[in-house]
Amino acid sequence: GTALRLPSHKAQLAGPDRRIWDILAPAMAASAPRPVSARELADQTGHPLKQIEGVLQRAGRHGLVTRISKTRYATPDLLRHLAGVAETIATQRDGGLFSAADYRDASGIGRNVCIEVLEFFDQQRFTFRSGDGRKVLKSIDEAFGKSA
């Protein structure tokens, strides 16, 4: 069953999910540095929104993507990049506090998406919001795992 596995085994998407993921992955990479919405992916690929959402959900179980808000998703590489932006800004500020506007300017993503990313970081306890500022609490590796 699913209780035992070889140490070298990695779960992967298969069949139709794999074919759709092979289309979604480049579309997600092209949207960087902005996390992409399921609706945008559906519009770009021509696949129904429900199908895209299902594939993204299953891809998330395999660690291929992370849902950062109700509608937005990021690959592990993009997530680490966005976290790196926060770390860089924090090291350049007195006390390590940075604002959403600081993050928006440094990351190159729009205000609304920026807020979604920062709120996700707060939920993951990568950052902590204090008033209008945020502070990085732990390293990227601690928050999101070691990079592959």
Side-chain angles (χ1 to χ4, degrees):
T2 60
L4 299 174
R5 67 173 174 82
L6 293 171
S8 61
H9 175 75
K10 279 188 158 182
Q12 298 179 6
L13 293 174
D17 283 353
R18 184 67 203 188
R19 286 189 291 279
I20 293 172
W21 177 253
D22 289 343
I23 296 168
L24 297 180
M28 292 181 77
S31 76
R34 189 177 56 79
V36 68
S37 74
R39 166 65 62 199
E40 291 168 332
L41 290 170
D43 291 345
Q44 290 175 19
T45 65
H47 290 281
L49 178 61
K50 290 281 187 202
Q51 186 179 35
I52 296 296
E53 289 172 336
V55 171
L56 289 170
Q57 182 181 32
R58 290 183 290 279
R61 289 187 207 131
H62 296 293
L64 299 172
V65 69
T66 299
R67 184 177 180 179
I68 62 165
S69 72
K70 186 177 178 183
T71 61
R72 294 201 180 275
Y73 297 82
T75 62
D77 289 341
L78 178 57
L79 200 53
R80 292 179 68 79
H81 167 75
L82 293 171
V85 171
E87 260 187 357
T88 300
I89 299 167
T91 61
Q92 297 170 349
R93 301 291 187 272
D94 287 336
L97 282 175
F98 63 93
S99 69
D102 294 333
Y103 186 79
R104 179 201 62 216
D105 295 343
S107 66
I109 58 178
R111 180 186 175 280
N112 291 340
V113 177
C114 170
I115 297 299
E116 290 178 359
V117 169
L118 291 173
E119 287 176 351
F120 172 77
F121 287 163
D122 294 344
Q123 291 169 358
Q124 300 302 307
R125 304 225 191 299
F126 172 64
T127 58
F128 175 77
R129 183 175 178 187
S130 176
D132 289 334
R134 281 188 168 77
K135 187 173 189 134
V136 173
L137 297 177
K138 52 189 167 184
S139 74
I140 295 170
D141 287 344
E142 288 177 298
F144 304 110
K146 301 265 185 212
S147 62

